[in-house]
Amino acid sequence: GEENRNMAASDSKTSVTKSIVEDVELWNLSCVESNVSVVLSTIGATIQSLHVPDRDNITSDIVLGFENPQTYQENEPYFGCIVGRVANRIQGASFQLNNEQYPLAVNNGPNCLHGGIKGFNKQIWKANEISNGVEFSMVSPDGDEGFPGTLNVTATYLLKGNRLELYMDANVEGKSTPINLAQHSYFNLSGHNGTKLVETVHDHKVQIHANAYTPVDQDMIPTGECKDVKDSVMDFRDATLLGPRLQQMEDEAVEDAVLKNGKANKEDIENEIRGGPIGFDHNYVLHVCQPPCMRVAAVVSHAESGRTLTVETDAPGVQFYTANYLDKVNGKGGSVYHRHNAFCLETQHFPSSVCEVSPVTAEFKKVGGASPIISPDGPPYRHSIHYTFGQDATNEELKRRKTNN
């Protein structure tokens, strides 16, 4: 109810319990007042399940994932985990720093994605209970996946009422290093009802507080431009239903391909493109605040359940991804996940910003495309995210329910 939604974070007590399942250490944070609970795993400091209430206070797990905790050792889609040392893509799987060239693993077209072959998502983190949550920590040695310097990392999850807070901190010893940590949860606010998740996110409304995004080349690397979202399929400044937008994107992709390849092949082109991995996978430029401050990046709502998700961050960008590459992935409770079964809002430094992106516009540098490099004697890295879970029951809805009861 109303008092639930406006509950001050400090009024609520969070219970923190640890269990071992299939040799994996799991931590359960739960808050009775808000009816929110989250299970975290030491593999990748991963959000393995996240139960939040709908407008009738019925909880459902709103994140995609695997039934067996061990499966997260593989986790090709990066469900729920912390990705690093550098999230997103690094152009040509190599970067230069202090006149030294660092080659990296090529694991995504010609690029290095999400930290390489064995990124932070596949590491076993240490966990310590703290008030209202858990602090995960790990050490990434000098040369780990090709990156320089010994990196000490913590990821601290706190559950306060209906808000899950995440603080990612790091410092480096020996050499400077690029760093860009992200939380890679796949959300679907309709949840795993009963046990199976079947709904796409076409019926979700999305609002992203960004006037621009960073267009990419054919290898998904930003061109260095910040493009206005106005009058385009990319504009989520107002809450927008996702289904028609995804449809529009597919239609535009078909149109472009037909223009390129000639009308004669229209049918073949349609067959090839429709149903393929089309959708959003774009970095949005959030409103700049210097020094970095917490502000709302995105708000997502689901009319049927009444669930809402608000994401706040101090990061310069957010990757909005609509699970375009999910293809028959076996998930929780016998679910089979397909494309558009979820969305990600990965707050981050801009993709490939460890490289001198060419041509880099002054604009790109100004809004946060500048390199996320930390040095042994400089300030440490910090990245904060708040996920707030609400219910949007309108007065009409509440009236209607009263009448029906």
Side-chain angles (χ1 to χ4, degrees):
E2 205 51 44
E3 54 303 319
N4 201 2
R5 276 208 294 290
N6 298 330
M7 182 173 59
S10 58
D11 297 347
S12 52
K13 270 276 159 278
T14 298
S15 74
V16 181
T17 53
K18 175 175 124 171
S19 58
I20 308 280
V21 178
E22 305 274 346
D23 293 332
V24 180
E25 198 177 298
L26 301 180
W27 289 80
N28 186 322
L29 316 182
S30 67
C31 175
V32 174
E33 288 92 337
S34 64
N35 207 4
V36 172
S37 63
V38 58
V39 174
L40 305 163
S41 158
T42 49
I43 300 176
T46 294
I47 295 176
Q48 199 166 293
S49 71
L50 177 54
H51 283 83
V52 306
D54 66 5
R55 66 166 71 85
D56 298 315
N57 209 25
I58 294 162
T59 66
S60 187
D61 183 2
I62 61 163
V63 294
L64 273 57
F66 302 111
E67 195 62 38
N68 181 334
Q70 282 293 357
T71 315
Y72 287 88
Q73 297 274 16
E74 296 311 314
N75 196 2
E76 228 163 272
Y78 299 93
F79 288 144
C81 55
I82 304 276
V83 290
R85 217 180 260 207
V86 175
N88 216 302
R89 295 168 179 87
I90 295 179
Q91 182 175 20
S94 170
F95 67 94
Q96 196 175 4
L97 182 57
N98 299 334
N99 298 324
E100 209 167 318
Q101 196 66 34
Y102 291 95
L104 306 167
V106 179
N107 66 343
N108 178 268
N111 310 314
C112 178
L113 178 70
H114 292 331
I117 306 295
K118 191 176 180 184
F120 291 2
N121 61 299
K122 292 185 175 177
Q123 303 291 347
I124 307 293
W125 297 51
K126 281 201 180 76
N128 276 314
E129 181 179 343
I130 53 175
S131 174
N132 292 319
V134 181
E135 181 190 82
F136 291 95
S137 60
M138 62 156 288
V139 178
S140 169
D142 181 22
D144 184 15
E145 281 296 323
F147 291 98
T150 301
L151 192 73
N152 305 299
V153 192
T154 60
T156 306
Y157 290 94
L158 304 173
L159 180 60
K160 296 180 176 177
N162 59 346
R163 188 170 77 217
L164 179 65
E165 302 178 358
L166 170 59
Y167 302 98
M168 294 180 267
D169 294 280
N171 63 66
V172 71
E173 298 164 36
K175 291 177 186 161
S176 296
T177 184
I179 178 168
N180 186 14
L181 305 181
Q183 213 307 332
H184 209 298
S185 281
Y186 285 68
F187 297 98
N188 183 322
L189 299 183
S190 70
H192 293 70
N193 287 319
T195 54
K196 281 193 186 171
L197 181 137
V198 289
E199 302 292 330
T200 66
V201 288
H202 291 184
D203 61 351
H204 287 46
K205 272 190 169 161
V206 176
Q207 182 180 25
I208 301 173
H209 290 261
N211 298 327
Y213 71 102
T214 53
V216 290
D217 64 18
Q218 73 283 355
D219 293 325
M220 299 296 291
I221 298 297
T223 58
E225 182 194 1
C226 290
K227 196 169 185 180
D228 199 320
V229 296
K230 203 162 159 280
D231 302 326
S232 79
V233 71
M234 307 301 294
D235 188 351
F236 286 96
R237 288 173 301 178
D238 295 322
T240 305
L241 198 59
L242 207 41
R245 271 303 163 84
L246 287 163
Q247 189 57 55
Q248 184 188 340
M249 205 173 221
E250 195 166 277
D251 294 346
E252 286 177 11
V254 169
E255 250 165 70
D256 288 352
V258 168
L259 279 177
K260 255 193 218 117
N261 303 301
K263 293 224 177 353
N265 317 336
K266 187 165 193 304
E267 203 173 305
D268 296 346
I269 289 167
E270 291 254 1
N271 290 341
E272 195 179 327
I273 290 177
R274 298 217 182 268
I278 288 178
F280 294 90
D281 192 0
H282 297 81
N283 172 63
Y284 279 81
V285 178
L286 298 174
H287 303 312
V288 184
C289 59
Q290 286 304 356
C293 60
M294 295 298 283
R295 70 269 192 244
V296 175
V299 181
V300 183
S301 62
H302 180 244
E304 196 185 334
S305 65
R307 290 189 185 94
T308 63
L309 166 65
T310 303
V311 179
E312 294 166 271
T313 186
D314 55 4
V318 59
Q319 188 89 2
F320 176 48
Y321 175 53
T322 47
N324 314 322
Y325 289 94
L326 276 187
D327 186 19
K328 302 198 264 302
V329 176
N330 292 319
K332 296 175 193 172
S335 306
V336 180
Y337 302 135
H338 300 275
R339 77 164 189 163
H340 304 163
N341 260 167
F343 65 89
C344 302
L345 288 162
E346 306 153 54
T347 62
Q348 62 180 6
H349 276 288
F350 295 175
S352 200
S353 53
V354 306
C355 306
E356 282 303 310
V357 178
S358 155
V360 178
T361 60
E363 185 60 19
F364 189 60
K365 273 275 166 41
K366 197 167 74 197
V367 294
S371 208
I373 304 285
I374 58 169
S375 62
D377 47 7
Y381 170 88
R382 161 148 276 206
H383 175 186
S384 314
I385 313 169
H386 291 173
Y387 303 95
T388 306
F389 312 103
Q391 300 84 22
D392 70 351
T394 59
N395 291 328
E396 294 83 44
E397 170 65 22
L398 295 172
K399 256 196 218 117
R400 190 176 62 76
R401 284 217 297 263
K402 271 207 179 104
T403 332
N404 289 351
N405 285 346

